Structures are given as C-alpha cells and as structure tokens.
Amino acid sequence: MSILILHRNPFEPFPYERWLRDYDGEVVVLAARDKLELFGEQVPAAHGFAHLEVLDDFDDEELIRARALKLVAEYGTRHIVALHEADLILAARLREQLGLDGPRLADVEPFRDKALMKERLGRAGVEVARHTLPRTAQDAHAFAEQHGFPVVFKDRTGFNSIGLRILRDREELESHTARVLAGGDARDDLLMEAYVPGRMCHVDGLVVDGRTVLAWPSQYQYDLASYGTDAGARVDLTLDPDDPLTGRLLDVTERALAALRRPDGRMREHAFHAEIFHTPDDRLVLCEIACRSGGAKTREVLQAVFGLNIGEYATRAELGLPLPLLEEARRGGSRPQPRAMAGQVLMMKRPGHVRALAAVPDDPWVERFWLYGRVGQVISPAAGSADFLTCAVASAPTRTECERRLRALGARFEAQTEIVPAGSTGADASGDGSTGADAAGERTETA
C-alpha cells in the first residue's frame, strides 16, 4: 500500500517525512525540478520516501500521467495527494480512472474553473464581480463599454496571479486584446471582470468529513497583481477576533464552500483559501476560492496562530490519519481559537545584481525567516506572486501590534537590500549574468 504525491513545490514547506511519520504505507513522490531550483533547493536524497522522481517538465500532463500510472501499478497506490493548484485536476482524473478514494473531477472543477465558480456562487447569492468569457476582441470591448474601466483579464484556470492584467483605459485594452485575442479563432480560456475596488481579504482553513473545522481571516496590505513592480515590503496579517469583518468574512466563505461543494461528492477533506474584496461601500465580493491551502507563508502564519500547519493536517485528513490538535475542539463541537495574531512580510525578486540582502532578524517575535538569494547574483524579475526574495512570519497579541512589528521589519529589509541594474560593477563570480532558476539562490531559515 502506498500514496503517490504530485509535488509542484519546494520541499522545505512540505516535510512529508515528518507529516506522515505514522503512515504505515510507502510514500512515492513525483516532483518538479524547476520548483526546487526556483527556491534554491538541491534535488534531495530519497527523503525517506520509497521512491522520489524529479521531472524536468511538470507541465507535460501526458508525461506526468504516464509516470503516475506506472508508479501506481508498481507500488500499489491507494491515495493520490496533490497540494498545488495546477495539479488538482490531474489528480482527480487519475483517481477517477483508477477508482481511488478522494475528489473526482466534478468535485474539483468548481474550484478551478473561475467561470463555473462565479456562476455557482452567483446562483447561491454570494456576490461576485461582473464578468464574461471574451471569445473575441469585440466581446472584450463590448464588456468594457458596458461596465467601464478598469477591467481585469485572467486565465480561467490560472493561479499565483500569473497572466493577470488590470487594464485601465481603452488603449491598454486594445494593446492587450491585440496580443491575446488576435486571429480568427475564438477563445474560451480567458475570464474578464469588472474591477472591484477595495482591500483584498482572505480566509484560510480546513474541512474534515465535509465540515469546516478551522478557519480564520487575514487582510493583504498590498495588491496581489503588483508582484512584478513592487520593490517594497508586502505585509499580510490576520484579523482580530472582535474585528467587525471577521465574522462576516467567515460567513461568506462558508456560504461559498456550500455553493461549490457537491452534496454527494467525494471531496470531504481539504484545505481552502478564499479571496474576498472589502469594498469602500462595505460590501464583501468574493474574488475566488481554492480547495487547497494558501500560498506564500500562509501555512506558517496559521501555525503561529493555531499551532498547526493546515497543509499537514489536510494531507493527514485525506489519508484518515489522526489530527491531534483538532480532536478536543471537534469533540466539543467547536473550532480552535487563535492564541495570537500573526502575519507575513514579503519582498519579491526584482531584476539586477544583488549587492546586499536582509540580515537574519533576532527579534523574539519573529517566528520564521527565509532568504532566497545570495550576494553577487544576477536575478530575474518575479515570475509570479510566489517568487520571493525575503520572507518572515511574525506574531503579536493583537493585529495592531502585529502590523507595527511587520512594517518595522519590512522597513529594515528594504534598507538592508540593495539590487542594482545588471551590468553594474561589484558582482562576484556567481553574478555571471545567469537568470531565473539558475540564479534563484540559497535558502536561509530560522525557526
């Protein structure tokens, strides 16, 4: 008996050998080489796995399917686990084909197809942005004429803000549609939305046996789509229990989960990450919701708040393993309550020679710190909203104090980081003009 893990992530945030220490079967892993290199990780030894295979092209679905089917047959796989957004559909199809437990395609699609998601949410009375599927440039211009600017373009099944574009006037729309909607063939893979003003919040949590057992809201203090141009510190932090938004955000998330989940479906255990606009006129507009844990350092933030990692608990729940830190609350019919407030401060990669980087902080309230670079490198721009240079998680008794600490830490990181245009003098031998994964750097972490 074994489990097969489709792993399109670095390994550091997903220590399966520790998460699954009491699993009595074999663990088999198919991993993406580019994700390891992007975060400066070397291809690991077996990590205690029965089999670890690192593939060069994790976007070749037929290759992944063929390797997965071979490994399933060889190791007697009973469960397929996928924790990255891009692998949820393939994992569901494999389960369906093989008759394995876990979510099927019909369970996962409403969380992956943004158009289907918005249709179901709207029918359930959950407010979403006005939207369309622009099959042609004429469709896009007609939508903008009706709803005005700005408008938002995104991939219908996208993630990490990759490909997301906010177009602020007719000229930008014409330029964009000339690229993505040129030619005579109509498309159905793009989503176009009316722009929703306001601050983006997110709710992260865990579902076990079809019931939400943990959930908590946070609020981004930055725009997700600005990852490619934002050179400063980006702060994201949890909301206090008595914040007026806390209960409302939890309620709209629960309604969204109910609208997307099939009553007779097979998706009974999963993490979730919902993104919700809080508009200037005090409305909550659901942007989208995913059936996996949040990105960046969201898992580590919630670990500081609740003492458990929702990525670990989602994986264990899917396999029917004990969830010790949830058992007492579940027996009492309640959910765990936060023991502190926490948040993260992030700096994105930006192009140029790295001359100086942030020092490891020694503040007692810094829970974790990561550095994905080294002095002397030449690095490329951020490729997505998860392409970081520096990250830290901090905690405090209240949101106000947590924000003060995170902003002070971010200001320190900004002052300590120096990246100059490529071609400037002062780079060491490692700054040889390489870019992308080759220059992703090394990871430094404090616990």
Side-chain angles (χ1 to χ4, degrees):
M1 181 180 71
S2 75
I3 62 169
L4 172 64
I5 300 174
L6 305 181
H7 185 72
R8 191 191 295 255
N9 284 297
F11 275 109
E12 179 269 323
F14 301 90
Y16 299 113
E17 69 281 5
R18 177 167 56 79
W19 289 4
L20 303 175
R21 58 195 175 277
D22 52 345
Y23 177 65
D24 61 2
E26 294 180 304
V27 178
V28 178
V29 180
L30 276 175
R33 185 182 304 278
D34 65 326
K35 296 303 180 184
L36 305 183
E37 293 175 340
L38 181 66
F39 287 89
E41 292 187 357
Q42 301 299 314
V43 174
H47 250 305
F49 305 141
H51 180 84
L52 169 63
E53 189 170 331
V54 180
L55 299 179
D56 292 332
D57 186 0
F58 226 68
D59 292 320
D60 185 340
E61 184 169 316
E62 289 309 309
L63 170 65
I64 305 300
R65 179 190 295 275
R67 294 303 305 145
L69 290 174
K70 182 177 185 302
L71 292 171
V72 166
E74 182 176 350
Y75 288 92
T77 297
R78 293 293 176 266
H79 294 275
I80 295 177
V81 172
L83 300 183
H84 192 285
E85 187 91 356
D87 300 320
L88 297 175
I89 291 290
L90 176 57
R93 286 175 172 154
L94 285 168
R95 293 187 199 103
E96 221 164 85
Q97 178 179 347
L98 297 165
L100 301 180
D101 289 340
R104 297 293 200 257
L105 184 61
D107 299 311
V108 173
E109 276 187 322
F111 291 88
R112 286 293 293 123
D113 183 337
K114 300 179 197 300
L116 177 60
M117 177 191 302
K118 290 180 187 297
E119 176 190 337
R120 293 197 180 178
L121 291 173
R123 288 205 309 261
V126 177
E127 185 175 359
V128 297
R130 293 164 295 181
H131 58 280
T132 190
L133 295 174
R135 298 177 62 82
T136 66
Q138 289 75 20
D139 292 343
H141 285 277
F143 182 84
E145 284 292 329
Q146 181 180 359
H147 299 291
F149 290 95
V151 293
V152 180
F153 262 84
K154 59 179 70 172
D155 189 322
R156 186 171 172 173
T157 59
F159 53 88
N160 283 352
S161 299
I162 298 170
L164 187 149
R165 297 289 183 272
I166 300 174
L167 310 174
R168 303 195 177 274
D169 55 38
R170 184 181 302 277
E171 183 178 352
E172 289 186 1
L173 177 61
E174 289 177 351
S175 176
H176 189 68
T177 55
R179 289 194 301 273
V180 302
L181 290 169
D185 294 334
R187 296 182 61 167
D188 64 358
D189 60 333
L190 297 175
L191 186 70
M192 185 177 180
E193 299 176 349
Y195 182 81
V196 179
R199 182 61 54 82
M200 175 80 83
C201 304
H202 59 101
V203 177
D204 298 272
L206 180 66
V207 170
V208 177
D209 195 23
R211 184 169 62 90
T212 301
V213 297
L214 184 147
W216 204 257
S218 301
Q219 190 178 65
Y220 298 115
Q221 306 300 302
Y222 59 89
D223 294 328
L224 287 174
S226 66
Y227 66 84
T229 58
D230 193 347
R234 296 155 69 90
V235 169
D236 171 34
L237 69 159
T238 53
L239 298 183
D240 285 317
D242 60 355
D243 189 294
L245 281 178
T246 294
R248 294 173 61 196
L249 288 165
L250 293 174
D251 176 69
V252 74
T253 301
E254 197 63 33
R255 291 192 290 124
L257 288 169
L260 300 182
R261 192 162 43 226
R262 295 195 305 153
D264 58 346
R266 293 173 175 258
M267 190 160 64
R268 306 285 294 171
E269 284 80 24
H270 64 93
F272 60 84
H273 174 74
E275 293 181 339
I276 305 162
F277 294 106
H278 179 221
T279 68
D281 58 353
D282 200 33
R283 292 177 297 122
L284 295 180
V285 180
L286 199 138
C287 177
E288 54 194 60
I289 181 168
C291 57
R292 45 82 181 165
S293 59
K297 301 304 178 184
T298 300
R299 290 174 293 271
E300 291 79 4
V301 169
L302 290 188
Q303 188 159 10
V305 174
F306 293 104
L308 61 88
N309 185 302
I310 61 171
E312 175 185 2
Y313 269 54
T315 304
R316 292 178 62 84
E318 194 170 340
L319 299 175
L321 297 175
L323 309 174
L325 295 178
L326 286 176
E327 293 305 327
E328 183 176 348
R330 291 176 67 199
R331 282 195 298 269
S334 63
R335 298 181 187 176
Q337 295 302 303
R339 60 189 189 184
M341 292 292 97
Q344 54 189 317
V345 58
L346 315 165
M347 290 187 67
M348 307 306 299
K349 289 178 181 174
R350 62 183 193 267
H353 282 146
V354 180
R355 285 188 171 174
L357 289 169
V360 178
D362 57 5
D363 311 81
W365 38 265
V366 174
E367 304 277 344
R368 302 280 296 275
F369 173 75
W370 299 261
L371 193 61
Y372 299 104
R374 63 178 181 271
V375 173
Q377 281 186 302
V378 177
I379 56 178
S380 295
S385 61
D387 199 357
F388 312 117
L389 180 64
T390 310
C391 310
V393 169
S395 62
T398 65
R399 174 209 164 116
T400 299
E401 177 60 15
C402 188
E403 182 169 5
R404 186 194 67 79
R405 290 175 177 180
L406 288 166
R407 292 200 181 280
L409 193 59
R412 193 189 315 167
F413 290 168
E414 289 176 9
Q416 293 171 342
T417 302
E418 183 183 5
I419 300 177
V420 300
S424 301
T425 59
D428 66 20
S430 63
D432 59 359
S434 60
T435 59
D438 291 336
E442 299 169 347
R443 178 178 57 80
T444 299
E445 181 190 339
T446 62

